[in-house]
Amino acid sequence: MADTAPASSSTLTITQPDDWHLHFRDGDMLAMTVPATARVFKRAIVMPNLAPPVTTVAQAEAYRQRILAHVPEGMDFEPLMALYLTQDTSVQDVREAAQNPNIIGYKLYPAGATTNSSAGVRAVDAMGPVLETMQEFGVPLLVHGEVTEPEIDIFDREKVFIDRYLAPITQRYSRLKVILEHITTKDAVEFVTEAHELVAATLTPQHLLMNRNDLLVGGVHVHNYCLPVLKRRTHQEALQQAAISGNKKFFLGTDSAPHVQAKKETACGCAGCFSAFTAIELYAEAFAQLDALDKLEGFASHFGADFYGRPRNTKKIQLQRDIWQAPATVTHNGETWVPYWAGRDLQWQVVMAGA
């Protein structure tokens, strides 16, 4: 039976989806980023790489309240908070996190791997007591899976991390839930597929819709630059097949990551694709291109909730087949952002959300 039940060839109705990986940032930006996600998604896992990072339950609860203050009236949205794993995270920290229903898990950033990751883990091998406690108390480990040694080619960093660190972790802690975030390679697909049942992965719209040609051909396209970086077409095709496979280990996580235009279009570049304004429409675009819209609901609305042990949503959203253009820019408080897929056509648009 198909996962998705379209009402007709021009409409598509699915269970309200969740975003199992995104960045809201903080401060004034929340007034822009939170409504963009809450318009469609019921829940979202909020990344903790603020400056300073969110490392304690108290900090996460305070951040959660700042997020909730920007949920538009009438929208039912639940932020789920990830804590930032550091070399100084203690066993007691994990026990406290396990008692709080608003904490979804710990995020492992290798130090220096991405935006605001300088406080990340410097020695994965030394995290044994913390990982053992996470396994004991059922606290998931969310992983940015890249090594950061400068001698490792940037296109190989995900595979090296899997071989060097993630495979041993999943073997040693076989009762620990591990989510390999925003996977980018065929190697990651194969690893997750073959690993035990408590290993899963999130997939972003940009890694489904693009490959490294879209980043580098005809000049560097900075708004397609993210980390892990886009890979070659063969890897993109492996991700696409994983997304539409119906395998419950693969589910939606946008990794939406806003950077103001003035900083994105500089020598820095700033890694991140800001997809929140068109997120579910971008996934519909990818699944439509693969003639697999019947697989969208499981990927977007069911598998992540099942993996994290959360109830599936009961409300529905409806998309309509209608060619429209993603916004070219978004302006907030006098600053401008260029969202992912800016100014390009999309085939499907949300016409009813959370009903």
Side-chain angles (χ1 to χ4, degrees), residues 197-219:
E197 63 180 5
L198 298 182
V199 178
T202 57
L203 290 159
T204 76
Q206 63 265 26
H207 290 108
L208 293 176
L209 288 165
M210 290 183 171
N211 57 64
R212 64 188 186 182
N213 282 355
D214 298 287
L215 174 64
L216 298 171
V217 172

Side-chain angles (χ1 to χ4, degrees), residues 100-120:
N100 190 308
N102 299 322
I103 306 298
I104 198 72
Y106 273 91
K107 180 62 182 286
L108 190 163
Y109 292 102
T114 188
T115 303
N116 294 339
S117 62
S118 59

Side-chain angles (χ1 to χ4, degrees), residues 123-353:
V124 176
D125 294 339
M127 302 303 295
V130 167
L131 296 177
E132 181 65 43
T133 306
M134 290 174 64
Q135 175 176 250
E136 178 184 355
F137 285 89
V139 178
L141 177 68
L142 292 65
V143 181
H144 182 116
E146 291 187 288
V147 297
T148 57
E149 290 87 342
E151 68 271 16
I152 305 296
D153 189 290
I154 192 170
F155 292 105
D156 297 331
R157 291 182 176 184
E158 183 173 271
K159 182 183 186 315
V160 172
F161 184 92
I162 291 170
D163 294 343
R164 186 179 295 176
Y165 299 114
L166 199 58
I169 286 174
T170 58
Q171 292 164 9
R172 189 174 302 129
Y173 308 101
S174 60
R175 293 179 290 110
L176 174 65
K177 280 189 177 182
V178 177
I179 305 89
L180 184 54
E181 303 280 18
H182 42 53
I183 62 172
T184 64
T185 60
K186 181 180 179 182
D187 309 277
V189 170
E190 292 173 349
F191 171 78
V192 172
T193 301
E194 295 167 7
H196 62 73
E197 63 180 5
L198 298 182
V199 178
T202 57
L203 290 159
T204 76
Q206 63 265 26
H207 290 108
L208 293 176
L209 288 165
M210 290 183 171
N211 57 64
R212 64 188 186 182
N213 282 355
D214 298 287
L215 174 64
L216 298 171
V217 172
V220 177
H221 303 281
V222 294
H223 297 288
N224 297 339
Y225 172 53
C226 58
L227 288 173
V229 71
L230 296 169
K231 305 299 195 298
R232 64 171 68 242
R233 181 180 295 277
T234 53
H235 292 297
Q236 178 194 12
E237 291 170 348
L239 301 178
Q240 291 171 337
Q241 291 307 306
I244 67 173
S245 67
N247 186 332
K248 294 185 177 183
K249 288 186 167 192
F250 300 97
F251 45 83
L252 184 156
T254 64
D255 194 23
S256 180
H259 292 280
V260 69
Q261 183 178 16
K263 292 183 178 179
K264 187 77 169 163
E265 297 176 1
T266 65
C268 160
C270 296
C273 295
F274 187 21
S275 57
F277 281 92
T278 53
I280 196 64
E281 292 92 342
L282 287 163
Y283 284 107
E285 182 78 17
F287 278 67
Q289 289 179 10
L290 298 166
D291 193 25
L293 280 170
D294 62 312
K295 300 295 185 181
L296 179 61
E297 185 175 45
F299 173 84
S301 311
H302 294 165
F303 301 160
D306 295 348
F307 183 83
Y308 278 104
R310 303 277 170 152
R312 292 182 179 183
N313 298 324
T314 56
K315 294 182 179 180
K316 301 288 184 179
I317 69 166
Q318 188 176 87
L319 296 96
Q320 181 172 297
R321 189 193 300 273
D322 183 18
I323 303 300
W324 64 290
Q325 284 191 339
T329 59
V330 176
T331 302
H332 175 70
N333 278 358
E335 293 188 297
T336 301
W337 286 259
V338 178
Y340 178 65
W341 213 256
R344 297 181 61 173
D345 286 349
L346 287 164
Q347 299 181 57
W348 291 87
Q349 187 170 24
V350 172
V351 293
M352 178 192 76

